[in-house]
Amino acid sequence: MKKSSHPFRLGRLQCAVASLLIGTAGLAHADALQDLNAKIEALQREVNALRQQQAAAAPAQAVTQGATPGSFKLPGSSTSATIGGYVKFDALYSNRSAGTNSAADQLFDPTSIPVGPGINSDQNNQITLHARQSRFFIKTSTPSSYGDVKTHLEFDLFGSSGNESVSNSHNLRVRHAYGSIGGLLAGQTWSNFMDVGALPDTLDFGGPAGQIFVRQAQVRWTQPFSGGQWSVALENPETVVTLFSGANQRADDDRVPDLTGRIAFKTSYGDYSITGLARQVRIQSAAARDSRQGYGLGVYGVVPTTGKDSFNFGVNVGDGIGRYWGGLTSGGFIDAAGRLDLADQYGGFASYRHFWSDQLRSTLALGSLYASNPNFVGGATSNRFQSAHLNLIWSPIANTSFGAEYIFGRREVVSGLSGTVNRVQASFQYGF
Protein backbone atom coordinates (compact mmCIF):
# COMPACT_ATOMS: atom_id res chain seq x y z
CA MET A 1 0.00 0.00 0.00
CA LYS A 2 2.86 2.33 0.66
CA LYS A 3 4.29 1.98 -2.78
CA SER A 4 0.91 2.34 -4.39
CA SER A 5 -0.04 5.57 -2.50
CA HIS A 6 3.27 7.39 -2.94
CA PRO A 7 2.91 8.04 -6.66
CA PHE A 8 -0.59 9.33 -6.02
CA ARG A 9 0.53 11.78 -3.39
CA LEU A 10 3.46 12.79 -5.62
CA GLY A 11 1.08 13.44 -8.52
CA ARG A 12 -1.10 15.62 -6.30
CA LEU A 13 1.94 17.56 -5.18
CA GLN A 14 3.08 18.06 -8.77
CA CYS A 15 -0.35 19.35 -9.75
CA ALA A 16 -0.35 21.77 -6.84
CA VAL A 17 3.10 23.10 -7.75
CA ALA A 18 2.11 23.42 -11.38
CA SER A 19 -1.02 25.32 -10.45
CA LEU A 20 1.00 27.62 -8.24
CA LEU A 21 3.51 28.29 -10.99
CA ILE A 22 0.76 28.93 -13.56
CA GLY A 23 -1.07 31.25 -11.19
CA THR A 24 2.13 33.12 -10.42
CA ALA A 25 2.88 33.45 -14.12
CA GLY A 26 -0.67 34.66 -14.78
CA LEU A 27 -0.39 37.24 -12.02
CA ALA A 28 2.95 38.38 -13.40
CA HIS A 29 1.48 38.65 -16.90
CA ALA A 30 -1.51 40.60 -15.62
CA ASP A 31 0.77 42.97 -13.73
CA ALA A 32 2.90 43.49 -16.84
CA LEU A 33 -0.17 44.12 -18.98
CA GLN A 34 -1.57 46.58 -16.44
CA ASP A 35 1.76 48.35 -16.30
CA LEU A 36 1.87 48.54 -20.10
CA ASN A 37 -1.64 49.96 -20.23
CA ALA A 38 -0.70 52.55 -17.63
CA LYS A 39 2.32 53.59 -19.66
CA ILE A 40 0.17 53.86 -22.84
CA GLU A 41 -2.40 56.00 -21.04
CA ALA A 42 0.35 58.26 -19.70
CA LEU A 43 1.82 58.60 -23.19
CA GLN A 44 -1.63 59.41 -24.61
CA ARG A 45 -2.08 62.13 -22.00
CA GLU A 46 1.26 63.64 -23.00
CA VAL A 47 0.26 63.55 -26.69
CA ASN A 48 -3.10 65.20 -25.94
CA ALA A 49 -1.41 67.87 -23.85
CA LEU A 50 1.04 68.54 -26.70
CA ARG A 51 -1.81 68.82 -29.19
CA GLN A 52 -3.61 71.29 -26.95
CA GLN A 53 -0.46 73.39 -26.69
CA GLN A 54 -0.06 73.37 -30.48
CA ALA A 55 -3.75 74.23 -31.00
CA ALA A 56 -3.46 77.15 -28.61
CA ALA A 57 -0.48 78.53 -30.54
CA ALA A 58 -1.73 77.73 -34.09
CA PRO A 59 -4.31 80.51 -34.73
CA ALA A 60 -1.62 83.18 -34.75
CA GLN A 61 0.13 81.59 -37.76
CA ALA A 62 -1.95 78.80 -39.30
CA VAL A 63 -4.00 79.14 -42.50
CA THR A 64 -6.59 76.42 -43.02
CA GLN A 65 -9.21 75.56 -45.65
CA GLY A 66 -12.33 77.72 -45.49
CA ALA A 67 -15.99 76.80 -45.46
CA THR A 68 -16.60 77.79 -49.11
CA PRO A 69 -14.87 76.22 -52.17
CA GLY A 70 -11.46 77.74 -52.88
CA SER A 71 -11.44 79.78 -49.67
CA PHE A 72 -9.17 79.89 -46.62
CA LYS A 73 -9.84 80.72 -42.99
CA LEU A 74 -8.49 84.01 -41.73
CA PRO A 75 -6.22 83.06 -38.77
CA GLY A 76 -7.92 83.44 -35.42
CA SER A 77 -11.43 83.84 -36.88
CA SER A 78 -14.34 81.94 -38.39
CA THR A 79 -14.22 84.05 -41.58
CA SER A 80 -13.59 82.29 -44.90
CA ALA A 81 -11.93 84.45 -47.56
CA THR A 82 -11.63 83.93 -51.31
CA ILE A 83 -9.16 85.84 -53.50
CA GLY A 84 -9.43 85.77 -57.27
CA GLY A 85 -9.57 87.60 -60.56
CA TYR A 86 -7.72 87.49 -63.84
CA VAL A 87 -5.14 89.21 -66.00
CA LYS A 88 -6.42 90.01 -69.51
CA PHE A 89 -4.50 91.36 -72.48
CA ASP A 90 -6.44 92.81 -75.42
CA ALA A 91 -5.13 93.73 -78.86
CA LEU A 92 -7.57 95.68 -81.07
CA TYR A 93 -7.60 96.90 -84.66
CA SER A 94 -10.27 99.47 -85.62
CA ASN A 95 -10.81 100.77 -89.13
CA ARG A 96 -12.05 104.06 -87.60
CA SER A 97 -10.84 105.57 -84.33
CA ALA A 98 -13.00 107.41 -81.83
CA GLY A 99 -10.25 109.96 -81.21
CA THR A 100 -6.89 110.55 -79.56
CA ASN A 101 -6.33 108.37 -76.47
CA SER A 102 -10.04 107.46 -76.39
CA ALA A 103 -11.25 104.60 -74.17
CA ALA A 104 -13.67 103.78 -77.01
CA ASP A 105 -10.67 102.30 -78.86
CA GLN A 106 -10.27 99.84 -75.95
CA LEU A 107 -13.90 98.68 -75.70
CA PHE A 108 -16.95 98.97 -77.92
CA ASP A 109 -18.78 102.27 -77.26
CA PRO A 110 -21.38 102.96 -79.97
CA THR A 111 -21.76 106.62 -78.96
CA SER A 112 -18.17 107.25 -80.12
CA ILE A 113 -18.62 105.97 -83.68
CA PRO A 114 -17.76 108.90 -86.00
CA VAL A 115 -20.74 110.11 -88.04
CA GLY A 116 -20.61 112.40 -91.05
CA PRO A 117 -18.15 113.05 -93.88
CA GLY A 118 -14.65 113.95 -92.81
CA ILE A 119 -15.15 113.18 -89.09
CA ASN A 120 -11.92 111.65 -87.73
CA SER A 121 -10.93 110.87 -91.31
CA ASP A 122 -7.27 111.16 -90.34
CA GLN A 123 -7.60 108.56 -87.57
CA ASN A 124 -8.17 105.31 -89.41
CA ASN A 125 -6.69 101.83 -88.96
CA GLN A 126 -5.99 102.27 -85.25
CA ILE A 127 -4.02 99.64 -83.27
CA THR A 128 -4.54 99.55 -79.47
CA LEU A 129 -2.96 97.20 -76.90
CA HIS A 130 -4.02 97.30 -73.25
CA ALA A 131 -4.61 95.24 -70.08
CA ARG A 132 -7.24 97.42 -68.42
CA GLN A 133 -9.90 94.74 -68.10
CA SER A 134 -7.68 92.85 -65.61
CA ARG A 135 -9.38 92.62 -62.23
CA PHE A 136 -8.98 91.54 -58.62
CA PHE A 137 -11.57 90.60 -56.01
CA ILE A 138 -11.80 89.40 -52.43
CA LYS A 139 -14.91 87.76 -50.97
CA THR A 140 -15.57 86.80 -47.35
CA SER A 141 -18.15 84.69 -45.54
CA THR A 142 -18.60 84.69 -41.76
CA PRO A 143 -21.21 82.50 -40.01
CA SER A 144 -23.62 84.19 -37.59
CA SER A 145 -26.89 83.47 -35.84
CA TYR A 146 -28.67 85.42 -38.62
CA GLY A 147 -26.99 83.51 -41.44
CA ASP A 148 -23.68 83.99 -43.26
CA VAL A 149 -22.38 87.56 -43.38
CA LYS A 150 -20.87 87.99 -46.86
CA THR A 151 -18.79 90.76 -48.45
CA HIS A 152 -17.51 91.35 -51.98
CA LEU A 153 -14.89 93.93 -52.98
CA GLU A 154 -13.72 94.08 -56.62
CA PHE A 155 -11.61 96.40 -58.78
CA ASP A 156 -10.48 96.68 -62.39
CA LEU A 157 -8.16 99.12 -64.18
CA PHE A 158 -10.72 101.22 -66.07
CA GLY A 159 -10.31 104.15 -63.70
CA SER A 160 -8.72 107.40 -64.87
CA SER A 161 -5.78 106.75 -67.17
CA GLY A 162 -2.40 108.26 -67.81
CA ASN A 163 -0.69 108.59 -71.17
CA GLU A 164 0.45 105.80 -73.47
CA SER A 165 3.94 107.13 -74.01
CA VAL A 166 5.84 105.81 -70.98
CA SER A 167 4.18 104.07 -68.06
CA ASN A 168 0.66 103.34 -69.41
CA SER A 169 -0.59 103.81 -65.86
CA HIS A 170 -4.26 103.29 -65.07
CA ASN A 171 -6.04 103.82 -61.77
CA LEU A 172 -8.15 101.26 -59.98
CA ARG A 173 -11.92 101.48 -60.42
CA VAL A 174 -14.43 100.05 -57.97
CA ARG A 175 -16.72 97.49 -59.62
CA HIS A 176 -18.38 95.90 -56.60
CA ALA A 177 -18.38 96.84 -52.91
CA TYR A 178 -21.25 95.30 -50.98
CA GLY A 179 -22.19 93.14 -48.03
CA SER A 180 -25.13 90.84 -47.42
CA ILE A 181 -26.74 88.81 -44.66
CA GLY A 182 -29.66 86.56 -45.45
CA GLY A 183 -31.82 88.33 -48.04
CA LEU A 184 -30.51 91.83 -47.27
CA LEU A 185 -27.80 93.34 -49.50
CA ALA A 186 -26.32 96.85 -49.23
CA GLY A 187 -23.56 98.42 -51.30
CA GLN A 188 -22.58 98.75 -54.96
CA THR A 189 -23.23 95.96 -57.45
CA TRP A 190 -25.25 95.14 -60.60
CA SER A 191 -28.56 96.96 -60.83
CA ASN A 192 -31.58 94.87 -59.92
CA PHE A 193 -33.08 96.08 -63.22
CA MET A 194 -30.75 93.84 -65.25
CA ASP A 195 -29.99 90.11 -65.45
CA VAL A 196 -26.23 89.72 -65.68
CA GLY A 197 -26.57 85.96 -66.18
CA ALA A 198 -28.15 86.52 -69.60
CA LEU A 199 -25.37 88.74 -71.01
CA PRO A 200 -23.54 87.32 -74.06
CA ASP A 201 -20.10 85.67 -73.85
CA THR A 202 -17.94 88.27 -75.66
CA LEU A 203 -14.26 89.17 -75.57
CA ASP A 204 -15.15 92.84 -76.00
CA PHE A 205 -15.64 94.54 -72.64
CA GLY A 206 -18.36 96.86 -73.94
CA GLY A 207 -20.80 94.22 -75.12
CA PRO A 208 -23.69 94.62 -77.56
CA ALA A 209 -25.81 97.71 -78.06
CA GLY A 210 -29.25 97.40 -76.52
CA GLN A 211 -28.20 95.82 -73.23
CA ILE A 212 -29.08 97.30 -69.85
CA PHE A 213 -25.75 97.66 -68.04
CA VAL A 214 -25.40 99.50 -64.70
CA ARG A 215 -23.57 98.99 -61.43
CA GLN A 216 -24.57 101.33 -58.60
CA ALA A 217 -25.15 101.68 -54.86
CA GLN A 218 -28.37 100.14 -53.57
CA VAL A 219 -30.23 98.45 -50.75
CA ARG A 220 -31.87 95.21 -51.91
CA TRP A 221 -34.05 92.49 -50.44
CA THR A 222 -34.15 89.06 -52.12
CA GLN A 223 -36.74 86.42 -51.23
CA PRO A 224 -36.63 82.86 -52.61
CA PHE A 225 -39.78 80.99 -53.57
CA SER A 226 -40.49 77.60 -55.08
CA GLY A 227 -38.95 77.72 -58.55
CA GLY A 228 -37.12 81.04 -58.25
CA GLN A 229 -36.79 84.29 -56.31
CA TRP A 230 -38.02 87.88 -56.28
CA SER A 231 -36.07 91.00 -55.31
CA VAL A 232 -36.76 94.69 -54.80
CA ALA A 233 -34.20 97.49 -54.41
CA LEU A 234 -33.79 101.21 -53.81
CA GLU A 235 -30.93 102.37 -56.07
CA ASN A 236 -28.88 105.50 -56.51
CA PRO A 237 -30.70 108.09 -58.66
CA GLU A 238 -28.76 110.10 -61.22
CA THR A 239 -30.43 112.40 -63.74
CA VAL A 240 -28.61 113.01 -67.03
CA VAL A 241 -30.39 115.34 -69.47
CA THR A 242 -29.59 117.00 -72.79
CA LEU A 243 -29.95 120.78 -72.85
CA PHE A 244 -31.55 122.62 -75.77
CA SER A 245 -28.03 123.58 -76.85
CA GLY A 246 -27.23 119.89 -77.32
CA ALA A 247 -24.86 119.61 -74.36
CA ASN A 248 -25.37 116.85 -71.78
CA GLN A 249 -25.74 117.87 -68.16
CA ARG A 250 -25.75 115.84 -64.96
CA ALA A 251 -28.40 117.25 -62.67
CA ASP A 252 -27.51 116.53 -59.03
CA ASP A 253 -31.01 117.43 -57.86
CA ASP A 254 -32.39 113.93 -57.33
CA ARG A 255 -34.64 113.53 -54.30
CA VAL A 256 -36.14 110.04 -54.79
CA PRO A 257 -34.15 106.79 -55.18
CA ASP A 258 -34.79 104.64 -58.22
CA LEU A 259 -37.08 101.69 -57.43
CA THR A 260 -36.27 98.38 -59.16
CA GLY A 261 -37.79 94.92 -59.01
CA ARG A 262 -37.00 91.52 -60.51
CA ILE A 263 -38.66 88.10 -60.54
CA ALA A 264 -36.42 85.21 -61.62
CA PHE A 265 -37.60 81.71 -62.57
CA LYS A 266 -35.60 78.49 -62.93
CA THR A 267 -37.33 75.92 -65.10
CA SER A 268 -36.45 72.74 -66.98
CA TYR A 269 -36.65 74.86 -70.15
CA GLY A 270 -34.18 77.54 -69.02
CA ASP A 271 -33.77 80.53 -66.71
CA TYR A 272 -35.98 83.58 -67.16
CA SER A 273 -36.53 86.91 -65.41
CA ILE A 274 -38.83 89.93 -65.56
CA THR A 275 -37.55 93.32 -64.39
CA GLY A 276 -39.13 96.68 -63.64
CA LEU A 277 -37.94 100.22 -62.91
CA ALA A 278 -39.65 103.39 -61.64
CA ARG A 279 -37.66 106.63 -61.33
CA GLN A 280 -37.90 110.39 -61.21
CA VAL A 281 -35.95 112.47 -63.74
CA ARG A 282 -35.47 115.89 -62.17
CA ILE A 283 -33.52 119.05 -62.97
CA GLN A 284 -33.32 122.32 -61.07
CA SER A 285 -30.93 124.81 -62.66
CA ALA A 286 -30.76 128.06 -64.58
CA ALA A 287 -31.67 126.11 -67.73
CA ALA A 288 -34.79 124.40 -66.35
CA ARG A 289 -36.77 123.52 -63.24
CA ASP A 290 -38.87 120.46 -63.99
CA SER A 291 -39.33 116.74 -63.23
CA ARG A 292 -40.94 113.74 -64.93
CA GLN A 293 -41.60 110.11 -63.97
CA GLY A 294 -39.73 107.47 -65.92
CA TYR A 295 -40.25 103.73 -66.13
CA GLY A 296 -38.69 100.60 -67.57
CA LEU A 297 -39.63 96.97 -68.20
CA GLY A 298 -37.44 94.05 -69.21
CA VAL A 299 -37.58 90.33 -70.04
CA TYR A 300 -34.50 88.07 -70.05
CA GLY A 301 -33.82 84.42 -70.78
CA VAL A 302 -31.12 81.77 -71.01
CA VAL A 303 -32.50 78.87 -73.04
CA PRO A 304 -30.49 75.62 -73.29
CA THR A 305 -30.54 74.03 -76.75
CA THR A 306 -28.30 71.08 -77.69
CA GLY A 307 -25.35 69.88 -75.61
CA LYS A 308 -23.86 72.84 -73.75
CA ASP A 309 -25.21 75.38 -76.26
CA SER A 310 -27.57 78.16 -75.19
CA PHE A 311 -29.66 80.98 -76.62
CA ASN A 312 -29.59 84.19 -74.54
CA PHE A 313 -31.81 87.24 -74.95
CA GLY A 314 -32.82 90.46 -73.26
CA VAL A 315 -35.53 92.95 -74.30
CA ASN A 316 -36.22 96.28 -72.59
CA VAL A 317 -38.53 99.23 -73.11
CA GLY A 318 -38.67 102.44 -71.12
CA ASP A 319 -39.24 106.15 -70.86
CA GLY A 320 -36.47 108.32 -69.46
CA ILE A 321 -34.07 105.46 -68.59
CA GLY A 322 -31.19 106.63 -70.80
CA ARG A 323 -28.29 105.98 -68.45
CA TYR A 324 -29.44 102.40 -67.84
CA TRP A 325 -28.51 101.60 -71.45
CA GLY A 326 -24.87 102.02 -70.48
CA GLY A 327 -25.20 105.78 -71.10
CA LEU A 328 -25.95 105.41 -74.82
CA THR A 329 -28.93 107.78 -74.72
CA SER A 330 -30.10 110.71 -72.62
CA GLY A 331 -32.67 110.40 -69.85
CA GLY A 332 -34.47 113.58 -70.90
CA PHE A 333 -34.33 116.68 -73.09
CA ILE A 334 -34.86 120.36 -72.25
CA ASP A 335 -36.83 122.36 -74.82
CA ALA A 336 -36.46 126.09 -75.59
CA ALA A 337 -38.96 126.99 -72.84
CA GLY A 338 -37.04 125.04 -70.18
CA ARG A 339 -39.49 122.14 -70.03
CA LEU A 340 -38.29 118.55 -69.55
CA ASP A 341 -39.35 115.90 -72.05
CA LEU A 342 -38.51 112.20 -71.81
CA ALA A 343 -37.72 109.89 -74.72
CA ASP A 344 -39.27 106.48 -75.33
CA GLN A 345 -36.55 103.87 -75.81
CA TYR A 346 -36.58 100.28 -77.08
CA GLY A 347 -33.64 97.92 -77.08
CA GLY A 348 -32.44 94.38 -76.77
CA PHE A 349 -29.91 91.72 -77.66
CA ALA A 350 -29.88 88.08 -78.71
CA SER A 351 -26.96 85.68 -78.75
CA TYR A 352 -26.21 82.05 -79.45
CA ARG A 353 -23.24 80.25 -77.88
CA HIS A 354 -22.06 77.02 -79.51
CA PHE A 355 -19.47 74.60 -78.14
CA TRP A 356 -17.43 73.03 -80.92
CA SER A 357 -15.77 70.92 -78.20
CA ASP A 358 -15.29 71.10 -74.44
CA GLN A 359 -12.39 73.51 -75.02
CA LEU A 360 -13.58 75.47 -78.05
CA ARG A 361 -16.66 77.71 -78.26
CA SER A 362 -18.15 80.56 -80.32
CA THR A 363 -20.78 83.23 -79.67
CA LEU A 364 -22.76 85.32 -82.13
CA ALA A 365 -24.39 88.34 -80.43
CA LEU A 366 -26.64 90.96 -82.05
CA GLY A 367 -27.83 94.15 -80.37
CA SER A 368 -30.00 97.15 -81.19
CA LEU A 369 -31.29 100.28 -79.44
CA TYR A 370 -33.74 102.91 -80.71
CA ALA A 371 -34.67 106.19 -79.00
CA SER A 372 -37.82 108.09 -80.04
CA ASN A 373 -36.40 111.53 -79.28
CA PRO A 374 -38.58 114.68 -79.07
CA ASN A 375 -38.91 116.54 -82.38
CA PHE A 376 -37.05 119.60 -81.09
CA VAL A 377 -33.68 117.86 -80.53
CA GLY A 378 -30.72 118.68 -82.74
CA GLY A 379 -29.88 116.69 -85.85
CA ALA A 380 -26.60 115.41 -84.36
CA THR A 381 -28.39 113.60 -81.50
CA SER A 382 -28.06 109.81 -81.63
CA ASN A 383 -31.28 107.86 -82.05
CA ARG A 384 -30.25 104.37 -83.20
CA PHE A 385 -27.41 101.93 -82.45
CA GLN A 386 -26.72 98.47 -83.83
CA SER A 387 -23.95 95.95 -83.20
CA ALA A 388 -22.73 92.44 -83.98
CA HIS A 389 -20.10 90.30 -82.23
CA LEU A 390 -18.72 86.98 -83.51
CA ASN A 391 -15.90 85.16 -81.72
CA LEU A 392 -13.92 81.96 -81.32
CA ILE A 393 -12.58 81.21 -77.81
CA TRP A 394 -10.20 78.38 -76.85
CA SER A 395 -9.86 77.33 -73.19
CA PRO A 396 -7.24 74.55 -73.09
CA ILE A 397 -6.99 74.56 -69.27
CA ALA A 398 -9.14 75.84 -66.43
CA ASN A 399 -9.28 79.64 -65.90
CA THR A 400 -7.32 80.33 -69.10
CA SER A 401 -8.65 81.35 -72.50
CA PHE A 402 -7.41 82.72 -75.83
CA GLY A 403 -9.68 84.11 -78.49
CA ALA A 404 -10.41 86.34 -81.46
CA GLU A 405 -13.53 88.40 -82.15
CA TYR A 406 -14.99 90.48 -84.96
CA ILE A 407 -17.11 93.50 -83.93
CA PHE A 408 -19.35 95.64 -86.11
CA GLY A 409 -21.02 98.81 -84.87
CA ARG A 410 -23.35 101.38 -86.39
CA ARG A 411 -24.65 104.71 -85.08
CA GLU A 412 -27.39 106.84 -86.63
CA VAL A 413 -28.35 110.40 -85.69
CA VAL A 414 -31.62 112.32 -85.99
CA SER A 415 -30.57 114.01 -89.25
CA GLY A 416 -30.32 110.58 -90.90
CA LEU A 417 -26.54 110.46 -91.12
CA SER A 418 -24.82 107.32 -89.89
CA GLY A 419 -21.38 105.90 -89.28
CA THR A 420 -19.92 102.43 -88.85
CA VAL A 421 -16.88 100.82 -87.29
CA ASN A 422 -15.26 97.45 -87.96
CA ARG A 423 -13.01 96.00 -85.31
CA VAL A 424 -10.96 92.85 -84.74
CA GLN A 425 -9.90 91.91 -81.21
CA ALA A 426 -7.53 89.25 -79.86
CA SER A 427 -7.55 88.44 -76.15
CA PHE A 428 -5.44 86.43 -73.69
CA GLN A 429 -6.94 85.82 -70.26
CA TYR A 430 -5.30 84.12 -67.26
CA GLY A 431 -7.43 83.57 -64.17
CA PHE A 432 -6.40 82.94 -60.59
Side-chain angles (χ1 to χ4, degrees):
M1 294 293 295
K2 272 180 149 184
K3 289 185 180 179
S4 62
S5 62
H6 178 71
F8 177 76
R9 288 195 298 267
L10 182 59
R12 292 180 63 183
L13 180 59
Q14 288 173 336
C15 289
V17 172
S19 298
L20 180 61
L21 291 175
I22 292 173
T24 302
L27 290 173
H29 177 73
D31 290 342
L33 184 60
Q34 184 176 5
D35 183 57
L36 180 61
N37 287 335
K39 290 181 178 179
I40 292 174
E41 290 177 0
L43 182 61
Q44 186 63 52
R45 287 194 295 270
E46 292 180 6
V47 171
N48 291 340
L50 182 59
R51 285 177 176 173
Q52 291 176 359
Q53 292 176 3
Q54 291 177 337
Q61 303 91 10
V63 176
T64 59
Q65 183 176 348
T68 56
S71 67
F72 62 91
K73 283 284 185 66
L74 296 179
S77 77
S78 59
T79 297
S80 299
T82 304
I83 295 176
Y86 58 76
V87 173
K88 185 167 183 275
F89 166 79
D90 292 312
L92 303 97
Y93 162 81
S94 303
N95 71 325
R96 300 190 70 182
S97 172
T100 304
N101 201 29
S102 173
D105 289 330
Q106 302 168 2
L107 56 85
F108 178 59
D109 177 6
T111 63
S112 298
I113 297 175
V115 172
I119 302 299
N120 288 6
S121 59
D122 59 340
Q123 298 184 17
N124 297 329
N125 304 319
Q126 173 74 32
I127 294 290
T128 303
L129 309 179
H130 73 92
R132 300 186 69 179
Q133 191 179 327
S134 303
R135 68 185 57 167
F136 171 84
F137 70 79
I138 180 169
K139 302 178 183 180
T140 68
S141 178
T142 307
S144 78
S145 58
Y146 293 94
D148 291 343
V149 179
K150 300 179 180 180
T151 66
H152 185 168
L153 190 61
E154 181 175 321
F155 304 90
D156 66 14
L157 301 179
F158 268 100
S160 58
S161 60
N163 59 64
E164 297 181 16
S165 60
V166 181
S167 65
N168 286 271
S169 58
H170 303 288
N171 292 335
L172 291 174
R173 178 184 66 167
V174 175
R175 288 173 53 83
H176 301 279
Y178 66 87
S180 66
I181 179 170
L184 180 63
L185 177 148
Q188 175 172 305
T189 189
W190 301 111
S191 171
N192 194 40
F193 183 51
M194 63 181 289
D195 187 345
V196 66
L199 296 181
D201 180 15
T202 64
L203 296 176
D204 165 48
F205 194 42
Q211 66 177 6
I212 296 294
F213 193 90
V214 176
R215 289 185 303 269
Q216 60 190 8
Q218 61 192 272
V219 177
R220 181 193 303 178
W221 178 263
T222 301
Q223 183 67 46
F225 61 84
S226 178
Q229 63 181 26
W230 61 264
S231 53
V232 61
L234 296 176
E235 306 192 17
N236 180 59
E238 177 70 7
T239 293
V240 181
V241 297
T242 300
L243 303 180
F244 188 71
S245 64
N248 287 336
Q249 176 176 322
R250 294 186 180 275
D252 293 325
D253 304 308
D254 302 289
R255 296 182 178 178
V256 180
D258 291 359
L259 174 64
T260 63
R262 181 159 66 101
I263 303 176
F265 307 91
K266 285 187 174 294
T267 74
S268 57
Y269 301 100
D271 298 342
Y272 304 91
S273 63
I274 301 172
T275 63
L277 165 69
R279 67 186 304 247
Q280 182 187 67
V281 181
R282 185 176 185 275
I283 183 172
Q284 184 174 352
S285 68
R289 300 173 63 90
D290 203 354
S291 66
R292 292 285 185 273
Q293 293 301 124
Y295 77 92
L297 296 172
V299 178
Y300 295 86
V302 178
V303 186
T305 56
T306 60
K308 298 167 62 177
D309 293 8
S310 65
F311 171 71
N312 294 21
F313 69 87
V315 178
N316 293 88
V317 298
D319 188 32
I321 61 172
R323 71 180 184 87
Y324 281 85
W325 301 105
L328 299 189
T329 65
S330 179
F333 298 86
I334 306 299
D335 66 14
R339 292 186 296 265
L340 176 62
D341 197 348
L342 305 185
D344 294 329
Q345 296 147 357
Y346 316 87
F349 64 86
S351 71
Y352 190 87
R353 182 169 68 169
H354 173 65
F355 281 81
W356 305 100
S357 69
D358 288 340
Q359 299 179 345
L360 196 64
R361 67 187 188 272
S362 291
T363 295
L364 171 64
L366 305 176
S368 180
L369 171 62
Y370 173 73
S372 179
N373 297 322
N375 56 16
F376 59 81
V377 303
T381 303
S382 300
N383 66 346
R384 190 184 301 272
F385 303 95
Q386 296 169 310
S387 68
H389 292 68
L390 177 63
N391 60 43
L392 181 65
I393 303 174
W394 179 46
S395 298
I397 57 177
N399 299 324
T400 300
S401 62
F402 311 96
E405 184 168 82
Y406 167 72
I407 305 163
F408 168 81
R410 179 178 182 273
R411 178 167 76 101
E412 181 181 318
V413 297
V414 171
S415 66
L417 293 175
S418 64
T420 62
V421 65
N422 291 276
R423 177 173 292 173
V424 177
Q425 177 173 339
S427 300
F428 303 77
Q429 183 171 316
Y430 309 88
F432 61 90

